[in-house]
Amino acid sequence: MVPRAPSDCLSLSITMLRGVLLLGLVLCANSVNYMDICLNGKHQKVVPGPEDVLHGQCTPWKEKSCCTNNTSAEAHKDQSLLYNFNWNHCGTMSDTCKKHFIQDTCFYECSPNLGPWIQKVDSSWRRERILDVPLCQEECDTWYRDCRLQYTCMDNWHTGWNWTSGTNQCPTDKPCRLLADVFPTAKDFCEKVWSNSYKYTTMKRGSGQCMQIWFDVGNGNVNPNVAVTKYYADKLNSAGDTRVGLLLVLAPLVLLWAI
Ligand SMILES: *[C@@H]1O[C@H](CO)[C@@H](O)[C@H](O)[C@H]1NC(C)=O
Ligand SMILES: *[C@@H]1O[C@H](CO)[C@@H](O)[C@H](O)[C@H]1NC(C)=O
Ligand SMILES: *[C@@H]1O[C@H](CO)[C@@H](O)[C@H](O)[C@H]1NC(C)=O
């Protein structure tokens, strides 16, 4: 070891400080914003904002919404103009069941809290989709309970329909069956119906780690999904930080070893 002059020591310290500063800067620059984002879909707004008169079941999102009042009104109609999708493709869907699909539509169109689960897609009608949004157990279980005695012909409602009439009809080789036969479990239903947009979990409402399509605001209640999104956003960012941090710590070591 060559004895170091005090000036060497000072310059080494400065170099190290610079390194730490750089590490911090890179970690900050590396963090992705997942909060307050609207899906780049067919009807969503570009940025979320307040909507004074959201319709019916979509009102919980009015403080900060990705849907317009028009979209929220359409979301409540049978075979709405949003996607021309017909809930009544195997006879009339009961209102008890349909209200969950309306709530799901409000959630998809209006929620600014889907950032961590947005994925790019190659599709004619949208640039992005949601994938594996962790749904609270009660949300999925009640949806399935209220719909299991309805009828459907398809286990993935995103594809495979006969659209020649302008709305989705069952293909001739797909007979209508009890929904509980098409989807034997609640998990099966919530995950498959929209091709894995949702992920079934055993986490409970209010746990802060799963999403609710149903919630009340007002009386001091806030949208519980904001905290859930923050939780997963921090997790994703800290995983990214660990990778970059490791790289930044290892790279100089490798350099030192090389010289
Ligand atoms: C909203 O709907 C009304 C009719 O209900 C229509 O006149 C208007 O153009 C729509 N606005 C947007 C932004 O789509
Ligand atoms: C939505 O709001 C716009 C402007 O405030 C209004 O003209 C329109 O009629 C509303 N649409 C519905 C469906 O309420
Ligand atoms: C699609 O629906 C049309 C009528 O709307 C029907 O004539 C045709 O046979 C159907 N095709 C399939 C594959 O189900």
Side-chain angles (χ1 to χ4, degrees):
M1 202 62 188
V2 185
R4 285 182 190 280
S7 66
D8 283 350
C9 196
L10 187 66
S11 75
L12 182 68
S13 306
I14 290 172
T15 308
M16 285 174 73
L17 272 176
R18 275 195 186 138
V20 170
L21 199 66
L22 191 67
L23 181 70
L25 280 176
V26 171
L27 291 190
C28 289
N30 184 51
S31 92
V32 179
N33 177 35
Y34 294 103
M35 306 302 291
D36 296 332
I37 290 187
C38 291
L39 182 93
N40 186 354
K42 190 171 177 198
H43 302 289
Q44 288 86 352
K45 305 194 300 191
V46 176
V47 284
E51 287 288 338
D52 292 338
V53 282
L54 287 188
H55 189 74
Q57 291 177 222
C58 297
T59 51
W61 284 277
K62 73 195 200 56
E63 299 287 323
K64 201 181 270 181
S65 169
C66 288
C67 64
T68 61
N69 64 331
N70 279 14
T71 299
S72 71
E74 283 297 322
H76 291 72
K77 295 183 187 161
D78 278 2
Q79 206 179 313
S80 77
L81 293 175
L82 299 177
Y83 305 98
N84 281 319
F85 195 88
N86 179 16
W87 304 123
N88 307 320
H89 52 265
C90 282
T92 308
M93 182 186 274
S94 73
D95 288 343
T96 320
C97 170
K98 198 180 295 166
K99 72 174 194 282
H100 293 277
F101 282 100
I102 293 171
Q103 198 65 22
D104 162 61
T105 306
C106 288
F107 179 80
Y108 175 77
E109 300 292 343
C110 308
S111 179
N113 306 120
L114 296 168
W117 303 281
I118 290 177
Q119 306 275 325
K120 299 265 176 268
V121 276
D122 198 12
S123 148
S124 60
W125 56 280
R126 57 180 182 179
R127 301 265 82 83
E128 293 177 340
R129 62 162 297 177
I130 46 171
L131 188 69
D132 292 337
V133 173
L135 203 55
C136 298
Q137 185 175 24
E138 302 94 327
E139 302 287 297
C140 179
D141 287 352
T142 54
W143 189 354
Y144 182 68
R145 180 200 67 200
D146 290 345
C147 292
R148 59 191 299 280
L149 298 182
Q150 304 302 301
Y151 286 82
T152 187
C153 52
M154 307 289 277
D155 71 353
N156 177 351
W157 290 15
H158 270 151
T159 57
W161 299 99
N162 180 353
W163 283 97
T164 52
S165 69
T167 186
N168 55 308
Q169 289 185 311
C170 295
T172 39
D173 61 339
K174 297 275 184 187
C176 292
R177 294 155 64 205
L178 204 57
L179 187 133
D181 288 341
V182 174
F183 305 101
T185 63
K187 176 179 192 293
D188 221 53
F189 168 69
C190 294
E191 294 187 349
K192 285 186 181 162
V193 70
W194 298 127
S195 54
N196 298 101
S197 293
Y198 293 116
K199 187 176 160 61
Y200 184 82
T201 78
T202 52
M203 292 181 283
K204 301 295 187 289
R205 286 166 62 92
S207 67
Q209 296 182 22
C210 59
M211 299 294 270
Q212 296 176 209
I213 63 173
W214 293 95
F215 58 89
D216 287 326
V217 288
N219 295 324
N221 295 319
V222 293
N223 178 343
N225 297 327
V226 175
V228 179
T229 301
K230 179 87 173 54
Y231 171 81
Y232 286 98
D234 287 350
K235 240 170 107 159
L236 284 170
N237 273 324
S238 76
D241 283 356
T242 309
R243 279 196 300 275
V244 175
L246 212 62
L247 196 72
L248 289 184
V249 168
L250 287 180
L253 287 180
V254 169
L255 274 177
L256 270 181
W257 171 80
I259 51 179

